[in-house]
Amino acid sequence: MEDVIIVGGGPVGLLLAGELKLAGADPLVLEAADGERRRTRSLGLRSLNARTMQSLALRGLVEPVERAQWDMLDALAAERQDPGEAGDVVALMLEILRKGQISGHFAGLPLLDPEGNAQYVMLRQDRLEELLAERATAMGVRIRQGRAVTDVVQDGSSVTALLDDGSAVRGGYLVGCDGGRSVVRKRAGFAFDGTPPTMTGRTAVAELADPSMVTSSLRGPGGLVNLSLVPGEIATIEFDGGPGDRDAPVTAAELQDSLRRVTGRNVVVQRLVTGIRYSDNTRHAGSYRKGRVLLAGDAAHVHSPIGGQGLNLGLQDAFNLGWRLGLVARGAAPGSLLDGYTAERHPVAARVLRNARAQVALMRPGAQVDALREVLGEVIGLPEAWRHFAGMMDGTAIDYAPGAAVPLTGRFVPADLPLTGPAGVAELLRDGHGLLIGGSAPGAGLAAPGPGAGVADTGPGARPGGLEAVLAGHRDRVRFARAEAGAGLGGASALLVRPDGYVAWAGEPDEAHNALTTWFGPPTGAAA
């Protein structure tokens, strides 16, 4: 029996597989699409926001992701024989990315960082998938392509995925990472409520008889048209009530008609290579877990792509779920640890769905919306408002424990927190362990744990070790580090950092044992 079956080998499924492997579980990835279909669904560019980049830094993935971006952008710049509008856009994008100025946008209103400290990467989805697949395979993850799941059946002790070739795979847990029309979600019976589509988006690789007839425009009387940075890719959005048959192939005539409606010009599409449709259909699973079946990424939430939040939202699902499910699947922690997944990620997605709906409203044609955009643009220019919108769009405003007594609790650990050893926070979290950080005073006032706690050498009269000794029984899951003298721990004497980089607990040393057991399961040798 498999530890965890992951249905869907896109970025979310592949990242989740790596996180599970780090946590000690052995996942199997089932991907329905072959290579060509995977490339088709990768039309357009994807953005990775600041929080995703901070998370990737914990796994040593920032450098390869950034290198992939620069390789792509440099190649695109070299391809532009005739600079024109598209060449100017590539040059501008290169400039603002290199200067660290772009934090994203809100309905096309740019969020530019005046300090030049923004973290933002653009690349193709298939290239990101390649990087994550290479990493997962190197870690020993098994990935099987061309394996479509048709049904999911669970009992009290396992879950079975039925495949289209008549075979079946049984696992302890199963995670649906299979997109907005998730088979896993439907067959497992998750509620998926929301609002119907109001717009139709089309992205295609096509040849125009006269490319000069089309210029990018975020808004116009008929909708939106965008010439991608990728040569030959073109996109339109029309606020027409949503697409009809989502499964019918996009044709040259369909794209041509859309371009004519949006631009008001007699555009001729000579050839269409491939194309996709999308909408602002906005829906959210009521829960991300039903027994041994869980959801992540678009399988759990769908919304308009305007604002570029969907991929980041899914990758953060994977970071949040991976360490939890890995510990549970390997028997190191109780199943109740999984309850925190929905509790933390559902409100985050709800806020994204809300701002995605707002962005669609701000993209609609009309004089009233024009005026609203002007007013909002003035508001975003105010420093406090800019911080609010930037934090909302780049993920850095996420707080899993709002109102906590110690403000660091539930927030992402500061990457520059000074430690006494040679390794920094990101390096110590690299292998998927948690991290217990003590203050500069070794174990002052540390009380002994209660009877049966399984922790030695921790009382006030214990031999040297102090807070570090509390880790007895958890060293297979958590490392120890000490902060430098004067380093701020938010008013606490110790921090417990989860493998995904968020502070699980902040408090006094005599509370550390309970925090370790709550977040990482009982000590080794105790019943999970």
Side-chain angles (χ1 to χ4, degrees), residues 508-527:
E508 298 307 307
D510 59 358
E511 305 165 347
H513 172 73
N514 287 337
L516 283 163
T517 301
T518 297
W519 288 96
F520 290 91
T524 301

Side-chain angles (χ1 to χ4, degrees), residues 78-162:
E79 283 182 34
R80 300 294 184 182
Q81 304 277 328
D82 175 13
E85 179 201 15
D88 290 342
V89 171
V90 173
L92 177 61
M93 186 60 65
L94 282 166
E95 180 181 1
I96 61 177
L97 285 169
R98 287 198 169 106
K99 289 183 177 179
Q101 292 179 326
I102 185 168
S103 294
H105 68 89
F106 189 83
L109 298 171
L111 298 168
L112 299 179
D113 184 351
E115 303 297 326
N117 295 320
Q119 293 176 284
Y120 190 85
V121 163
M122 297 182 66
L123 75 170
R124 291 180 60 90
Q125 179 173 313
D126 55 352
R127 183 64 185 116
L128 178 61
E129 288 183 6
E130 287 175 4
L131 292 173
L132 294 176
E134 289 168 2
R135 174 174 180 264
T137 301
M139 297 171 72
V141 173
R142 293 159 296 144
I143 303 171
R144 298 180 184 172
Q145 293 192 17
R147 304 297 179 91
V149 172
T150 59
D151 203 357
V152 173
V153 180
Q154 64 172 313
D155 54 34
S157 60
S158 66
V159 56
T160 300
L162 304 179

Side-chain angles (χ1 to χ4, degrees), residues 20 24 28 78 117 132 148 162 173 205 220 231 257 269 324 389 394 414 432 449 452 464 467-468 514 520:
L20 288 167
L28 170 67
N117 295 320
L132 294 176
L162 304 179
Y173 291 87
V205 177
D257 289 345
V269 176
R324 298 175 186 272
F389 277 89
D394 68 13
L467 182 61
E468 186 174 3
N514 287 337
F520 290 91

Side-chain angles (χ1 to χ4, degrees), residues 316-520:
Q316 291 298 315
D317 287 347
F319 277 118
N320 189 291
L321 176 60
W323 66 275
R324 298 175 186 272
L325 184 53
L327 291 177
V328 172
R330 83 181 221 206
S336 57
L337 184 63
L338 297 175
D339 295 340
Y341 173 53
T342 295
E344 291 185 350
R345 293 303 298 164
H346 197 278
V348 173
R351 288 191 290 272
V352 169
L353 266 61
R354 182 187 67 174
N355 81 54
R357 289 187 177 104
Q359 291 185 78
V360 171
L362 284 165
M363 300 296 290
R364 296 182 182 282
Q368 290 79 10
V369 177
D370 289 343
L372 181 58
R373 289 176 64 87
E374 289 181 14
V375 171
L376 185 59
E378 294 172 358
V379 170
I380 290 177
L382 302 174
E384 188 63 27
W386 179 88
R387 285 190 290 272
H388 172 79
F389 277 89
M392 178 171 61
M393 297 304 293
D394 68 13
T396 56
I398 293 174
D399 184 353
Y400 289 143
V406 180
L408 275 177
T409 309
R411 305 302 297 260
F412 204 77
V413 64
D416 57 355
L417 183 66
L419 305 178
T420 57
V425 171
E427 187 176 349
L428 291 172
L429 292 172
R430 184 70 47 87
D431 61 1
H433 282 59
L435 180 63
L436 180 62
I437 303 175
S440 56
L446 184 62
V455 179
D457 304 327
T458 57
R463 60 181 178 268
L467 182 61
E468 186 174 3
V470 179
L471 280 178
H474 284 97
R475 292 186 184 279
D476 60 326
R477 286 155 275 172
V478 183
R479 300 192 183 285
F480 179 79
R482 192 168 296 284
E484 289 184 357
L489 298 183
S493 297
L495 303 178
L496 179 61
V497 184
R498 307 177 341 187
D500 62 353
Y502 285 85
V503 177
W505 163 85
E508 298 307 307
D510 59 358
E511 305 165 347
H513 172 73
N514 287 337
L516 283 163
T517 301
T518 297
W519 288 96
F520 290 91

Side-chain angles (χ1 to χ4, degrees), residues 148-226:
V149 172
T150 59
D151 203 357
V152 173
V153 180
Q154 64 172 313
D155 54 34
S157 60
S158 66
V159 56
T160 300
L162 304 179
L163 278 61
D164 59 354
D165 62 2
S167 63
V169 181
R170 182 167 167 258
Y173 291 87
L174 182 146
V175 186
C177 301
D178 51 338
R181 292 188 276 180
S182 168
V183 171
V184 172
R185 184 189 64 239
K186 294 173 183 176
R187 299 304 299 171
F190 286 84
F192 201 51
D193 298 326
T195 52
T198 67
M199 70 176 215
T200 301
R202 298 175 179 86
T203 299
V205 177
E207 294 178 6
L208 306 183
D210 184 358
S212 66
M213 294 186 70
V214 178
T215 57
S216 295
S217 174
L218 281 177
R219 299 182 67 252
L224 174 154
V225 61
N226 178 48

